[in-house]
Amino acid sequence: MAHLLAQAHQLDGLIEMAAEHARTALGAASVSISRFVPEADVIKTIINVGDLSPHEVRWPEDETYSLVGYKRLLSTLHERQSWIDSIDDPECEARELELLHRLGKGSCLVTSIVVDGRPWGEFFATRHVGDAVFSQDAIAYAEVLAAILASAVARAIREAALEDLASRDPLTGLLNRRALDDRAAQVFDLGEQASRQVVIVAVDIDGLKQVNDSQGHAQGDAVIRHTAAALMSAFEPVQSNLVARVGGDEFTVLVWDGDAELVEKTVNTVCETVDAGELGIGLSAGLAAAVLTPGSTLTVSELFAAADRAQYVAKRTQSCVAVIADDVSA
């Protein structure tokens, strides 16, 4: 498992692999890995593997357990104490006994997952009723497995943070041109999909140079952040979209499998709101839309270029609404 987890994997893949290997190594009926959520004082189950009860699913969306008053589980997380419980043990904690009965299991083993010196989550293994209860040797083994997983989790988190840093604009927090290009390439790959509508919106801030020259670059940065926030807020209800900052005063919105009329209405609302503000700026927007099919010859760069041309027209004509590109052919 250490060898496998040392390879590059997404976090969910690491956790799934660790759970499956741990179940085999411990002779467990099931293994669950949960994440500690300190702000809510709960643990949230990420994955359940093995022989699951009717109440469990492999990737639960909302399986949480409160830590309030749960002294033994709190000791696992904060004091790193591992323990074993069994339905035949008269000292089994009431909440743990109730859980074992609900899961239809005879015993459990619990240990903590500690990442970078802080409690990160819980490792929970069970055995069937009638099977041998976990031994102290099993606890020692589980603690080693949890430590291997914790190391892999720490690396995955760092790698994800570095990747996120490389794909985000530091001023606005929006995705950058690199991330936009990557997503656009995926969108243009239809796979087995029969068709897909793609809309590109190119947005430019009018008057940013004057703000920088007259009020300073700090105010100019505030204008950029304001525009980014306005675009993000407006497009939040629109499904399948990505808002990116692609230049000093330039933004691009990519929408796929959406309604072009809704996209146009949304960007027009942003333009009207910003124009009516007190920042001394306006927005120019150009929109290009196409329906891709397996026989389409339209490329990503061509659709981007069409939106840029429409945006230039909007800027020259001082249009307060998006100009629609009429020279796009899929």
Coordinates of all heavy atoms in Angstrom, one line a residue, residues 16 42-43 60 74 84 116 155 199 225 228 260 289 327:
E16 N -9.7 5.8 -1.4 CA -10.4 4.6 -1.8 C -9.4 3.4 -1.8 O -9.7 2.3 -1.4 CB -11.0 4.7 -3.2 CG -11.7 3.5 -3.7 CD -12.4 3.8 -5.0 OE1 -11.9 4.6 -5.8 OE2 -13.5 3.2 -5.3
V42 N -18.2 17.7 13.8 CA -18.6 16.4 13.3 C -17.5 15.7 12.6 O -16.5 16.3 12.2 CB -19.9 16.5 12.3 CG1 -21.0 17.2 13.0 CG2 -19.5 17.3 11.1
I43 N -17.7 14.4 12.3 CA -16.9 13.7 11.3 C -17.8 13.4 10.2 O -19.0 13.0 10.4 CB -16.2 12.5 11.9 CG1 -17.1 11.5 12.5 CG2 -15.1 12.9 12.9 CD1 -16.5 10.1 12.7
P60 N -20.8 8.3 0.4 CA -22.0 9.0 1.0 C -21.9 10.5 0.8 O -20.8 11.1 0.8 CB -21.9 8.6 2.4 CG -20.5 8.3 2.7 CD -20.0 7.7 1.4
L74 N -13.7 11.7 20.5 CA -12.9 12.9 20.7 C -11.5 12.5 21.1 O -10.5 13.2 20.7 CB -13.6 13.8 21.8 CG -14.8 14.5 21.3 CD1 -15.5 15.2 22.5 CD2 -14.4 15.6 20.3
I84 N -10.8 -0.6 20.5 CA -11.6 -1.7 19.9 C -12.9 -1.8 20.8 O -12.9 -1.7 22.0 CB -10.9 -3.1 20.0 CG1 -9.6 -3.0 19.1 CG2 -11.8 -4.2 19.6 CD1 -8.7 -4.1 19.4
D116 N 0.0 16.3 9.0 CA 0.8 17.4 9.4 C 0.7 17.8 10.9 O 0.6 19.0 11.2 CB 0.5 18.6 8.5 CG 1.0 18.4 7.1 OD1 2.0 17.6 6.9 OD2 0.4 19.0 6.1
R155 N 0.7 14.8 1.1 CA 1.3 15.1 -0.2 C 0.2 15.5 -1.3 O 0.4 16.5 -2.0 CB 2.1 13.9 -0.7 CG 2.9 14.1 -2.0 CD 3.5 12.9 -2.5 NE 2.5 11.9 -3.0 CZ 2.2 10.8 -2.4 NH1 2.8 10.5 -1.3 NH2 1.3 10.0 -2.9
V199 N -20.8 28.7 -25.4 CA -20.9 30.2 -25.5 C -19.6 30.7 -24.8 O -19.2 30.3 -23.8 CB -22.1 30.7 -24.8 CG1 -22.2 32.2 -25.0 CG2 -23.4 30.0 -25.2
R225 N -11.1 43.6 -8.9 CA -11.8 42.7 -8.0 C -13.3 42.8 -8.0 O -14.0 41.8 -8.0 CB -11.2 42.8 -6.6 CG -9.8 42.3 -6.4 CD -9.4 42.2 -4.9 NE -9.4 43.5 -4.3 CZ -8.3 44.3 -4.2 NH1 -7.1 43.8 -4.7 NH2 -8.3 45.5 -3.7
A228 N -14.6 41.2 -11.2 CA -14.5 39.7 -11.0 C -15.7 39.2 -10.1 O -16.3 38.2 -10.5 CB -13.2 39.3 -10.4
A260 N -27.8 30.1 -24.6 CA -27.1 31.3 -25.1 C -27.9 32.6 -24.7 O -27.3 33.6 -24.4 CB -26.9 31.2 -26.6
A289 N -21.4 32.2 -29.9 CA -22.0 30.9 -29.5 C -22.0 30.0 -30.7 O -22.1 30.4 -31.9 CB -23.5 31.1 -29.1
D327 N -20.3 35.8 -37.2 CA -19.5 35.2 -38.1 C -18.9 33.8 -37.6 O -17.9 33.4 -38.0 CB -18.3 36.1 -38.5 CG -17.5 36.5 -37.3 OD1 -17.9 36.2 -36.2 OD2 -16.4 37.1 -37.5

